[in-house]
Amino acid sequence: MKFLDQAKIYLEAGDGGNGCLSFRREKYIEFGGPNGGDGGNGGSIIFKAVKNLNTLIDFRYQQHFRAEKGRGGEGSERTGRSGKDLIIKVPVGTEILAEDKETVLADMVVDGEEVLLAKGGRGGFGNAHYKTSTNQAPERADPGTPGEKLAVWLRLKLIADIGLVGFPNAGKSTLLSVLTAARPKIANYPFTTLHPNLGVFYVYDREYVIADLPGLIEGASEGVGLGHRFLGHAERCRVILHLIDGTSEDVVASYKTIESELKNYGEKLLKKPEIVVLNKIDSLSEEEVLAKVKLLKKASKKEVIAISGVAKLGLEDLKKAIVEVMKKE
């Protein structure tokens, strides 16, 4: 299944049905009187969050959504049938934004949550509604009001327990494939991952959802590289797992650059629990590993776990660290 985390769609609620202008016409009843029924209400458009979806790919193939119109009223004071509401299912974690892509109309983070976005039009009154003691033969029937129309942006922010962040080629996809049954694309060039990947991590009779977020670079919070849209996925993660390429010349600079981008995107990302991991130690000597771990400890003021995703070294220490942090959370 392809991953899509934002889409623009157009909504059109149903128009209300017209009221009916009608008079009784029966034998032996000289003054039948008005009997036009009211029109039915138009259907509304409702969004519903469901947990069994994790992409907005369906909205690539359908962008226009219309709810059913209300039926017009009929004689004998028969009210027209109301249009059916249209329920649009979206993944849990979906934000619904106005057309300006800034105003948040709804943030759907609870399974089963429903939000009414476009209200259907009201059905018009038939002439029977206007009958009074002084106006016993009204010739007024109202048209239905139009339903609301608007364009909205859907933006999905994945809800995961652990978010993998780091520079391109830090080994995030490899680590995800080692810890979970996910099979992301892995290759020896930057930006192999162009969209987030999810995997379920089972450890010590517990399970956690891990999100492999596309590689960040300096300026990502301002839209450089793959842009800041992928940083939004980190907002929903409970824990940040910061992966650093051990073969880079300056691991401290790599660490600080990504931390700076997280801070620029939003202070709340820095407040999340973080696990600092030095990867690719199979390409380093023991002395180099110890030296780089020491430098990262000093820069991050956190414990640093040294691993190799390819050689599967240090994974037990990483698993224990994840469990400990998640218990605190």
Side-chain angles (χ1 to χ4, degrees), residues 29-95:
I29 299 179
E30 185 176 358
F31 303 104
N35 71 345
D38 300 338
N41 295 327
S44 299
I45 296 182
I46 299 169
F47 283 81
K48 182 176 182 179
V50 294
K51 63 182 180 181
N52 60 340
L53 295 175
N54 57 18
T55 175
L56 300 175
I57 189 64
D58 291 341
F59 300 101
R60 172 170 288 177
Y61 307 107
Q62 182 181 358
Q63 291 87 36
H64 295 266
F65 295 86
R66 297 180 179 87
E68 189 178 23
K69 296 180 179 180
R71 296 284 295 275
E74 298 180 7
S76 301
E77 297 189 32
R78 287 177 291 185
T79 300
R81 180 172 64 84
S82 292
K84 293 182 180 179
D85 292 338
L86 176 62
I87 297 178
I88 300 175
K89 295 180 180 180
V90 295
V92 174
T94 300
E95 278 186 341

Short mmCIF file of all heavy atoms in Angstrom, two decimals, residues 29-95:
data_model
loop_
_atom_site.label_atom_id
_atom_site.label_comp_id
_atom_site.label_asym_id
_atom_site.label_seq_id
_atom_site.Cartn_x
_atom_site.Cartn_y
_atom_site.Cartn_z
N ILE A 29 -65.67 18.33 -0.78
CA ILE A 29 -65.00 19.22 0.17
C ILE A 29 -64.74 20.53 -0.57
O ILE A 29 -63.86 20.62 -1.42
CB ILE A 29 -63.68 18.63 0.69
CG1 ILE A 29 -63.96 17.32 1.44
CG2 ILE A 29 -62.96 19.62 1.61
CD1 ILE A 29 -62.74 16.64 1.96
N GLU A 30 -65.58 21.52 -0.25
CA GLU A 30 -65.57 22.74 -1.03
C GLU A 30 -64.30 23.56 -0.79
O GLU A 30 -63.71 24.11 -1.72
CB GLU A 30 -66.79 23.59 -0.69
CG GLU A 30 -66.92 24.84 -1.55
CD GLU A 30 -68.20 25.60 -1.25
OE1 GLU A 30 -69.00 25.12 -0.41
OE2 GLU A 30 -68.41 26.66 -1.86
N PHE A 31 -63.88 23.65 0.47
CA PHE A 31 -62.69 24.43 0.82
C PHE A 31 -61.65 23.48 1.40
O PHE A 31 -61.62 23.26 2.61
CB PHE A 31 -63.05 25.54 1.82
CG PHE A 31 -64.12 26.46 1.31
CD1 PHE A 31 -65.42 26.38 1.77
CD2 PHE A 31 -63.81 27.40 0.33
CE1 PHE A 31 -66.40 27.24 1.28
CE2 PHE A 31 -64.80 28.25 -0.16
CZ PHE A 31 -66.10 28.17 0.31
N GLY A 32 -60.87 22.91 0.53
CA GLY A 32 -59.91 21.89 0.99
C GLY A 32 -58.80 22.44 1.86
O GLY A 32 -58.38 21.83 2.83
N GLY A 33 -58.30 23.61 1.51
CA GLY A 33 -57.22 24.19 2.30
C GLY A 33 -55.85 23.71 1.86
O GLY A 33 -55.70 22.77 1.06
N PRO A 34 -54.81 24.37 2.37
CA PRO A 34 -53.43 24.03 1.97
C PRO A 34 -52.96 22.71 2.57
O PRO A 34 -53.28 22.40 3.72
CB PRO A 34 -52.62 25.20 2.52
CG PRO A 34 -53.40 25.66 3.71
CD PRO A 34 -54.85 25.45 3.37
N ASN A 35 -52.21 21.96 1.80
CA ASN A 35 -51.67 20.71 2.34
C ASN A 35 -50.28 20.39 1.79
O ASN A 35 -49.89 19.24 1.67
CB ASN A 35 -52.62 19.54 2.09
CG ASN A 35 -52.66 19.14 0.61
OD1 ASN A 35 -52.21 19.88 -0.26
ND2 ASN A 35 -53.22 17.96 0.33
N GLY A 36 -49.53 21.44 1.44
CA GLY A 36 -48.17 21.22 0.93
C GLY A 36 -47.20 20.89 2.05
O GLY A 36 -47.13 21.59 3.08
N GLY A 37 -46.45 19.81 1.89
CA GLY A 37 -45.51 19.37 2.92
C GLY A 37 -44.16 20.07 2.84
O GLY A 37 -43.82 20.72 1.84
N ASP A 38 -43.39 19.94 3.91
CA ASP A 38 -42.05 20.55 3.98
C ASP A 38 -41.04 19.70 3.21
O ASP A 38 -41.19 18.47 3.09
CB ASP A 38 -41.59 20.68 5.43
CG ASP A 38 -42.51 21.54 6.27
OD1 ASP A 38 -43.24 22.36 5.68
OD2 ASP A 38 -42.49 21.38 7.51
N GLY A 39 -39.97 20.36 2.74
CA GLY A 39 -38.88 19.63 2.09
C GLY A 39 -37.97 18.97 3.13
O GLY A 39 -37.91 19.41 4.28
N GLY A 40 -37.28 17.93 2.74
CA GLY A 40 -36.36 17.24 3.65
C GLY A 40 -35.03 17.98 3.76
O GLY A 40 -34.64 18.73 2.85
N ASN A 41 -34.35 17.78 4.85
CA ASN A 41 -33.04 18.40 5.05
C ASN A 41 -31.98 17.70 4.20
O ASN A 41 -32.07 16.49 3.94
CB ASN A 41 -32.63 18.33 6.51
CG ASN A 41 -33.55 19.13 7.41
OD1 ASN A 41 -34.07 20.18 7.01
ND2 ASN A 41 -33.78 18.66 8.63
N GLY A 42 -30.97 18.46 3.79
CA GLY A 42 -29.87 17.86 3.03
C GLY A 42 -28.93 17.10 3.94
O GLY A 42 -28.83 17.39 5.16
N GLY A 43 -28.24 16.14 3.40
CA GLY A 43 -27.29 15.36 4.19
C GLY A 43 -26.04 16.17 4.52
O GLY A 43 -25.60 17.01 3.74
N SER A 44 -25.47 15.92 5.69
CA SER A 44 -24.24 16.59 6.11
C SER A 44 -23.04 15.70 5.83
O SER A 44 -23.19 14.50 5.57
CB SER A 44 -24.31 16.92 7.61
OG SER A 44 -25.38 17.79 7.90
N ILE A 45 -21.84 16.28 5.89
CA ILE A 45 -20.62 15.51 5.71
C ILE A 45 -19.90 15.43 7.05
O ILE A 45 -19.60 16.45 7.67
CB ILE A 45 -19.71 16.15 4.64
CG1 ILE A 45 -20.41 16.12 3.28
CG2 ILE A 45 -18.37 15.42 4.57
CD1 ILE A 45 -19.59 16.68 2.14
N ILE A 46 -19.66 14.21 7.49
CA ILE A 46 -19.08 13.94 8.81
C ILE A 46 -17.80 13.15 8.63
O ILE A 46 -17.76 12.17 7.86
CB ILE A 46 -20.08 13.16 9.69
CG1 ILE A 46 -21.37 13.98 9.89
CG2 ILE A 46 -19.46 12.78 11.03
CD1 ILE A 46 -22.50 13.19 10.51
N PHE A 47 -16.75 13.55 9.33
CA PHE A 47 -15.49 12.81 9.33
C PHE A 47 -15.43 11.91 10.56
O PHE A 47 -15.81 12.34 11.67
CB PHE A 47 -14.30 13.77 9.31
CG PHE A 47 -14.04 14.38 7.97
CD1 PHE A 47 -14.77 15.46 7.53
CD2 PHE A 47 -13.07 13.85 7.12
CE1 PHE A 47 -14.54 16.03 6.29
CE2 PHE A 47 -12.84 14.41 5.87
CZ PHE A 47 -13.58 15.50 5.46
N LYS A 48 -14.95 10.71 10.36
CA LYS A 48 -14.83 9.75 11.47
C LYS A 48 -13.42 9.16 11.49
O LYS A 48 -12.92 8.71 10.46
CB LYS A 48 -15.85 8.62 11.31
CG LYS A 48 -15.82 7.62 12.45
CD LYS A 48 -16.93 6.57 12.29
CE LYS A 48 -16.93 5.58 13.47
NZ LYS A 48 -18.02 4.58 13.33
N ALA A 49 -12.78 9.19 12.65
CA ALA A 49 -11.43 8.63 12.80
C ALA A 49 -11.53 7.14 13.08
O ALA A 49 -12.28 6.71 13.96
CB ALA A 49 -10.69 9.33 13.94
N VAL A 50 -10.78 6.34 12.32
CA VAL A 50 -10.76 4.89 12.52
C VAL A 50 -9.32 4.42 12.63
O VAL A 50 -8.43 4.93 11.95
CB VAL A 50 -11.49 4.15 11.38
CG1 VAL A 50 -12.97 4.47 11.38
CG2 VAL A 50 -10.91 4.51 10.03
N LYS A 51 -9.07 3.46 13.45
CA LYS A 51 -7.70 3.04 13.73
C LYS A 51 -7.14 2.04 12.73
O LYS A 51 -5.94 1.74 12.76
CB LYS A 51 -7.60 2.46 15.14
CG LYS A 51 -8.43 1.20 15.36
CD LYS A 51 -8.31 0.72 16.81
CE LYS A 51 -9.12 -0.54 17.06
NZ LYS A 51 -9.02 -0.99 18.46
N ASN A 52 -7.98 1.48 11.86
CA ASN A 52 -7.46 0.48 10.92
C ASN A 52 -6.98 1.10 9.60
O ASN A 52 -6.74 0.41 8.63
CB ASN A 52 -8.53 -0.58 10.63
CG ASN A 52 -9.79 0.00 10.03
OD1 ASN A 52 -10.04 1.19 10.16
ND2 ASN A 52 -10.59 -0.83 9.39
N LEU A 53 -6.83 2.42 9.58
CA LEU A 53 -6.25 3.11 8.43
C LEU A 53 -4.97 3.79 8.85
O LEU A 53 -4.87 4.28 9.98
CB LEU A 53 -7.23 4.16 7.87
CG LEU A 53 -8.54 3.68 7.27
CD1 LEU A 53 -9.41 4.86 6.88
CD2 LEU A 53 -8.29 2.80 6.05
N ASN A 54 -3.98 3.84 7.96
CA ASN A 54 -2.73 4.55 8.30
C ASN A 54 -2.18 5.34 7.12
O ASN A 54 -1.01 5.68 7.08
CB ASN A 54 -1.67 3.57 8.83
CG ASN A 54 -1.37 2.45 7.86
OD1 ASN A 54 -1.68 2.55 6.67
ND2 ASN A 54 -0.77 1.39 8.35
N THR A 55 -3.04 5.65 6.16
CA THR A 55 -2.62 6.46 5.01
C THR A 55 -3.84 7.16 4.43
O THR A 55 -4.98 6.73 4.63
CB THR A 55 -1.96 5.57 3.92
OG1 THR A 55 -1.68 6.38 2.77
CG2 THR A 55 -2.86 4.43 3.52
N LEU A 56 -3.59 8.26 3.71
CA LEU A 56 -4.66 9.01 3.05
C LEU A 56 -4.71 8.69 1.56
O LEU A 56 -5.23 9.47 0.77
CB LEU A 56 -4.44 10.51 3.25
CG LEU A 56 -4.42 11.02 4.69
CD1 LEU A 56 -4.08 12.50 4.72
CD2 LEU A 56 -5.75 10.77 5.38
N ILE A 57 -4.17 7.54 1.17
CA ILE A 57 -4.03 7.21 -0.25
C ILE A 57 -5.38 7.21 -0.97
O ILE A 57 -5.45 7.53 -2.17
CB ILE A 57 -3.32 5.84 -0.43
CG1 ILE A 57 -2.98 5.59 -1.90
CG2 ILE A 57 -4.15 4.73 0.16
CD1 ILE A 57 -1.98 6.56 -2.47
N ASP A 58 -6.47 6.87 -0.29
CA ASP A 58 -7.78 6.83 -0.94
C ASP A 58 -8.18 8.19 -1.50
O ASP A 58 -8.92 8.27 -2.48
CB ASP A 58 -8.85 6.35 0.04
CG ASP A 58 -8.68 4.88 0.41
OD1 ASP A 58 -7.98 4.17 -0.34
OD2 ASP A 58 -9.23 4.45 1.43
N PHE A 59 -7.68 9.25 -0.88
CA PHE A 59 -8.07 10.60 -1.31
C PHE A 59 -7.26 11.07 -2.53
O PHE A 59 -7.49 12.17 -3.02
CB PHE A 59 -7.92 11.57 -0.14
CG PHE A 59 -8.78 11.21 1.03
CD1 PHE A 59 -8.25 10.56 2.14
CD2 PHE A 59 -10.14 11.47 1.01
CE1 PHE A 59 -9.05 10.19 3.21
CE2 PHE A 59 -10.95 11.11 2.08
CZ PHE A 59 -10.41 10.47 3.18
N ARG A 60 -6.33 10.27 -2.98
CA ARG A 60 -5.64 10.58 -4.23
C ARG A 60 -6.55 10.29 -5.42
O ARG A 60 -6.44 10.93 -6.46
CB ARG A 60 -4.35 9.77 -4.34
CG ARG A 60 -3.67 9.89 -5.70
CD ARG A 60 -2.29 9.28 -5.70
NE ARG A 60 -1.35 10.10 -4.94
CZ ARG A 60 -0.08 9.77 -4.73
NH1 ARG A 60 0.39 8.63 -5.23
NH2 ARG A 60 0.71 10.55 -4.04
N TYR A 61 -7.43 9.33 -5.25
CA TYR A 61 -8.27 8.90 -6.37
C TYR A 61 -9.69 9.47 -6.30
O TYR A 61 -10.45 9.36 -7.26
CB TYR A 61 -8.34 7.36 -6.37
CG TYR A 61 -6.97 6.73 -6.36
CD1 TYR A 61 -6.49 6.11 -5.22
CD2 TYR A 61 -6.15 6.80 -7.47
CE1 TYR A 61 -5.22 5.55 -5.19
CE2 TYR A 61 -4.88 6.25 -7.45
CZ TYR A 61 -4.42 5.62 -6.31
OH TYR A 61 -3.16 5.09 -6.29
N GLN A 62 -10.04 10.07 -5.19
CA GLN A 62 -11.33 10.75 -5.09
C GLN A 62 -11.15 12.00 -4.25
O GLN A 62 -10.80 11.93 -3.07
CB GLN A 62 -12.40 9.85 -4.43
CG GLN A 62 -13.76 10.52 -4.36
CD GLN A 62 -14.81 9.66 -3.70
OE1 GLN A 62 -14.55 8.52 -3.32
NE2 GLN A 62 -16.01 10.18 -3.56
N GLN A 63 -11.39 13.15 -4.88
CA GLN A 63 -11.21 14.42 -4.18
C GLN A 63 -12.53 15.15 -3.92
O GLN A 63 -12.57 16.06 -3.10
CB GLN A 63 -10.29 15.36 -4.98
CG GLN A 63 -8.85 14.92 -5.05
CD GLN A 63 -8.59 13.97 -6.19
OE1 GLN A 63 -9.17 14.10 -7.26
NE2 GLN A 63 -7.72 12.99 -5.98
N HIS A 64 -13.59 14.78 -4.61
CA HIS A 64 -14.86 15.47 -4.47
C HIS A 64 -15.86 14.58 -3.74
O HIS A 64 -16.07 13.42 -4.12
CB HIS A 64 -15.41 15.87 -5.84
CG HIS A 64 -14.55 16.87 -6.55
ND1 HIS A 64 -14.76 18.22 -6.47
CD2 HIS A 64 -13.46 16.72 -7.34
CE1 HIS A 64 -13.85 18.86 -7.19
NE2 HIS A 64 -13.04 17.96 -7.72
N PHE A 65 -16.48 15.13 -2.70
CA PHE A 65 -17.44 14.37 -1.90
C PHE A 65 -18.73 15.18 -1.78
O PHE A 65 -18.71 16.35 -1.38
CB PHE A 65 -16.86 14.09 -0.50
CG PHE A 65 -15.66 13.18 -0.53
CD1 PHE A 65 -14.39 13.71 -0.72
CD2 PHE A 65 -15.80 11.82 -0.37
CE1 PHE A 65 -13.28 12.89 -0.76
CE2 PHE A 65 -14.70 10.98 -0.40
CZ PHE A 65 -13.43 11.51 -0.60
N ARG A 66 -19.84 14.55 -2.12
CA ARG A 66 -21.14 15.22 -2.07
C ARG A 66 -22.12 14.38 -1.26
O ARG A 66 -22.26 13.18 -1.52
CB ARG A 66 -21.69 15.44 -3.48
CG ARG A 66 -20.83 16.36 -4.35
CD ARG A 66 -21.44 16.53 -5.73
NE ARG A 66 -20.65 17.44 -6.55
CZ ARG A 66 -19.62 17.07 -7.30
NH1 ARG A 66 -19.28 15.79 -7.33
NH2 ARG A 66 -18.96 17.96 -8.02
N ALA A 67 -22.79 15.03 -0.34
CA ALA A 67 -23.82 14.34 0.44
C ALA A 67 -25.14 14.40 -0.34
O ALA A 67 -25.31 15.22 -1.25
CB ALA A 67 -23.97 14.98 1.80
N GLU A 68 -26.07 13.56 0.02
CA GLU A 68 -27.35 13.45 -0.69
C GLU A 68 -28.23 14.67 -0.43
O GLU A 68 -28.28 15.20 0.69
CB GLU A 68 -28.06 12.18 -0.25
CG GLU A 68 -29.29 11.84 -1.06
CD GLU A 68 -29.93 10.54 -0.60
OE1 GLU A 68 -29.71 10.13 0.55
OE2 GLU A 68 -30.66 9.94 -1.40
N LYS A 69 -28.93 15.12 -1.46
CA LYS A 69 -29.86 16.24 -1.31
C LYS A 69 -31.16 15.78 -0.66
O LYS A 69 -31.54 14.60 -0.76
CB LYS A 69 -30.17 16.85 -2.68
CG LYS A 69 -28.98 17.49 -3.37
CD LYS A 69 -29.39 18.07 -4.72
CE LYS A 69 -28.20 18.73 -5.40
NZ LYS A 69 -28.58 19.31 -6.72
N GLY A 70 -31.86 16.73 -0.01
CA GLY A 70 -33.17 16.41 0.55
C GLY A 70 -34.22 16.40 -0.54
O GLY A 70 -34.13 17.13 -1.53
N ARG A 71 -35.24 15.55 -0.38
CA ARG A 71 -36.34 15.49 -1.35
C ARG A 71 -37.33 16.61 -1.08
O ARG A 71 -37.50 17.07 0.05
CB ARG A 71 -37.04 14.14 -1.25
CG ARG A 71 -36.18 12.95 -1.63
CD ARG A 71 -36.02 12.85 -3.13
NE ARG A 71 -37.28 12.57 -3.79
CZ ARG A 71 -37.79 11.35 -3.97
NH1 ARG A 71 -37.11 10.29 -3.53
NH2 ARG A 71 -38.94 11.18 -4.59
N GLY A 72 -38.01 17.05 -2.13
CA GLY A 72 -39.03 18.09 -1.98
C GLY A 72 -40.26 17.55 -1.27
O GLY A 72 -40.56 16.35 -1.28
N GLY A 73 -41.01 18.46 -0.62
CA GLY A 73 -42.27 18.08 0.02
C GLY A 73 -43.33 17.75 -1.02
O GLY A 73 -43.20 18.08 -2.20
N GLU A 74 -44.40 17.10 -0.58
CA GLU A 74 -45.48 16.70 -1.49
C GLU A 74 -46.82 17.07 -0.87
O GLU A 74 -46.91 17.49 0.29
CB GLU A 74 -45.40 15.20 -1.79
CG GLU A 74 -44.11 14.79 -2.47
CD GLU A 74 -44.05 13.29 -2.75
OE1 GLU A 74 -45.08 12.62 -2.52
OE2 GLU A 74 -43.00 12.80 -3.17
N GLY A 75 -47.86 16.89 -1.67
CA GLY A 75 -49.20 17.15 -1.17
C GLY A 75 -49.58 16.22 -0.04
O GLY A 75 -48.84 15.28 0.30
N SER A 76 -50.76 16.45 0.53
CA SER A 76 -51.24 15.67 1.68
C SER A 76 -50.29 15.82 2.87
O SER A 76 -50.16 14.92 3.69
CB SER A 76 -51.42 14.19 1.33
OG SER A 76 -52.34 14.03 0.27
N GLU A 77 -49.60 16.98 2.90
CA GLU A 77 -48.67 17.31 3.99
C GLU A 77 -47.58 16.25 4.19
O GLU A 77 -47.17 15.94 5.31
CB GLU A 77 -49.44 17.53 5.30
CG GLU A 77 -50.39 18.70 5.23
CD GLU A 77 -51.01 19.06 6.56
OE1 GLU A 77 -50.34 18.87 7.60
OE2 GLU A 77 -52.17 19.51 6.58
N ARG A 78 -47.11 15.72 3.07
CA ARG A 78 -46.04 14.72 3.14
C ARG A 78 -44.68 15.42 3.07
O ARG A 78 -44.37 16.12 2.11
CB ARG A 78 -46.17 13.72 2.00
CG ARG A 78 -47.32 12.74 2.19
CD ARG A 78 -47.47 11.80 1.03
NE ARG A 78 -47.93 12.52 -0.16
CZ ARG A 78 -48.24 11.93 -1.32
NH1 ARG A 78 -48.11 10.61 -1.44
NH2 ARG A 78 -48.64 12.64 -2.35
N THR A 79 -43.89 15.20 4.11
CA THR A 79 -42.54 15.79 4.18
C THR A 79 -41.58 14.99 3.31
O THR A 79 -41.62 13.75 3.31
CB THR A 79 -42.03 15.80 5.64
OG1 THR A 79 -42.94 16.57 6.42
CG2 THR A 79 -40.64 16.39 5.73
N GLY A 80 -40.74 15.70 2.59
CA GLY A 80 -39.76 15.02 1.75
C GLY A 80 -38.71 14.30 2.58
O GLY A 80 -38.41 14.68 3.73
N ARG A 81 -38.16 13.24 2.01
CA ARG A 81 -37.13 12.47 2.74
C ARG A 81 -35.85 13.28 2.85
O ARG A 81 -35.40 13.91 1.89
CB ARG A 81 -36.86 11.15 2.00
CG ARG A 81 -35.81 10.27 2.67
CD ARG A 81 -35.73 8.91 2.00
NE ARG A 81 -35.29 9.01 0.62
CZ ARG A 81 -34.02 9.08 0.24
NH1 ARG A 81 -33.05 9.11 1.18
NH2 ARG A 81 -33.69 9.15 -1.02
N SER A 82 -35.24 13.25 4.03
CA SER A 82 -33.96 13.94 4.24
C SER A 82 -32.84 13.16 3.56
O SER A 82 -32.87 11.92 3.47
CB SER A 82 -33.65 14.08 5.73
OG SER A 82 -34.57 14.96 6.34
N GLY A 83 -31.82 13.88 3.08
CA GLY A 83 -30.67 13.23 2.45
C GLY A 83 -29.82 12.52 3.50
O GLY A 83 -29.75 12.93 4.66
N LYS A 84 -29.18 11.46 3.08
CA LYS A 84 -28.32 10.70 4.00
C LYS A 84 -27.01 11.46 4.25
O LYS A 84 -26.45 12.06 3.34
CB LYS A 84 -27.99 9.32 3.42
CG LYS A 84 -29.19 8.39 3.33
CD LYS A 84 -28.76 7.04 2.78
CE LYS A 84 -29.95 6.09 2.68
NZ LYS A 84 -29.54 4.76 2.12
N ASP A 85 -26.57 11.41 5.50
CA ASP A 85 -25.27 11.99 5.83
C ASP A 85 -24.17 11.17 5.17
O ASP A 85 -24.27 9.94 5.06
CB ASP A 85 -25.05 12.02 7.34
CG ASP A 85 -25.98 13.00 8.05
OD1 ASP A 85 -26.47 13.92 7.38
OD2 ASP A 85 -26.22 12.82 9.26
N LEU A 86 -23.12 11.84 4.76
CA LEU A 86 -21.95 11.16 4.18
C LEU A 86 -20.87 11.10 5.24
O LEU A 86 -20.42 12.14 5.75
CB LEU A 86 -21.44 11.92 2.96
CG LEU A 86 -20.17 11.38 2.30
CD1 LEU A 86 -20.38 9.97 1.77
CD2 LEU A 86 -19.72 12.30 1.17
N ILE A 87 -20.44 9.89 5.59
CA ILE A 87 -19.40 9.71 6.60
C ILE A 87 -18.10 9.36 5.89
O ILE A 87 -18.02 8.37 5.16
CB ILE A 87 -19.78 8.61 7.61
CG1 ILE A 87 -21.05 9.03 8.38
CG2 ILE A 87 -18.63 8.36 8.58
CD1 ILE A 87 -21.53 7.99 9.38
N ILE A 88 -17.08 10.20 6.09
CA ILE A 88 -15.77 9.98 5.48
C ILE A 88 -14.82 9.47 6.56
O ILE A 88 -14.60 10.14 7.57
CB ILE A 88 -15.23 11.29 4.87
CG1 ILE A 88 -16.20 11.81 3.80
CG2 ILE A 88 -13.84 11.08 4.28
CD1 ILE A 88 -15.80 13.16 3.22
N LYS A 89 -14.24 8.30 6.33
CA LYS A 89 -13.34 7.71 7.32
C LYS A 89 -11.90 8.13 7.05
O LYS A 89 -11.43 8.09 5.91
CB LYS A 89 -13.46 6.19 7.29
CG LYS A 89 -14.84 5.68 7.72
CD LYS A 89 -14.92 4.16 7.68
CE LYS A 89 -16.30 3.68 8.11
NZ LYS A 89 -16.40 2.19 8.08
N VAL A 90 -11.23 8.55 8.11
CA VAL A 90 -9.83 8.97 8.01
C VAL A 90 -9.03 8.27 9.12
O VAL A 90 -9.60 7.85 10.13
CB VAL A 90 -9.68 10.51 8.14
CG1 VAL A 90 -10.36 11.21 6.99
CG2 VAL A 90 -10.25 11.00 9.47
N PRO A 91 -7.72 8.15 8.96
CA PRO A 91 -6.91 7.52 10.00
C PRO A 91 -6.88 8.35 11.28
O PRO A 91 -7.00 9.58 11.26
CB PRO A 91 -5.50 7.46 9.38
CG PRO A 91 -5.71 7.66 7.91
CD PRO A 91 -6.92 8.51 7.78
N VAL A 92 -6.75 7.66 12.40
CA VAL A 92 -6.54 8.36 13.67
C VAL A 92 -5.24 9.15 13.56
O VAL A 92 -4.22 8.64 13.10
CB VAL A 92 -6.47 7.36 14.83
CG1 VAL A 92 -6.10 8.07 16.13
CG2 VAL A 92 -7.79 6.64 15.01
N GLY A 93 -5.28 10.42 13.99
CA GLY A 93 -4.10 11.28 13.88
C GLY A 93 -4.21 12.26 12.73
O GLY A 93 -3.26 13.00 12.45
N THR A 94 -5.38 12.31 12.06
CA THR A 94 -5.56 13.22 10.93
C THR A 94 -5.97 14.61 11.40
O THR A 94 -6.87 14.75 12.22
CB THR A 94 -6.64 12.67 9.97
OG1 THR A 94 -6.23 11.40 9.48
CG2 THR A 94 -6.84 13.60 8.79
N GLU A 95 -5.29 15.60 10.88
CA GLU A 95 -5.68 16.99 11.08
C GLU A 95 -6.46 17.45 9.86
O GLU A 95 -6.09 17.14 8.73
CB GLU A 95 -4.46 17.90 11.24
CG GLU A 95 -3.86 17.91 12.62
CD GLU A 95 -2.74 18.93 12.74
OE1 GLU A 95 -2.21 19.37 11.70
OE2 GLU A 95 -2.41 19.30 13.87
#
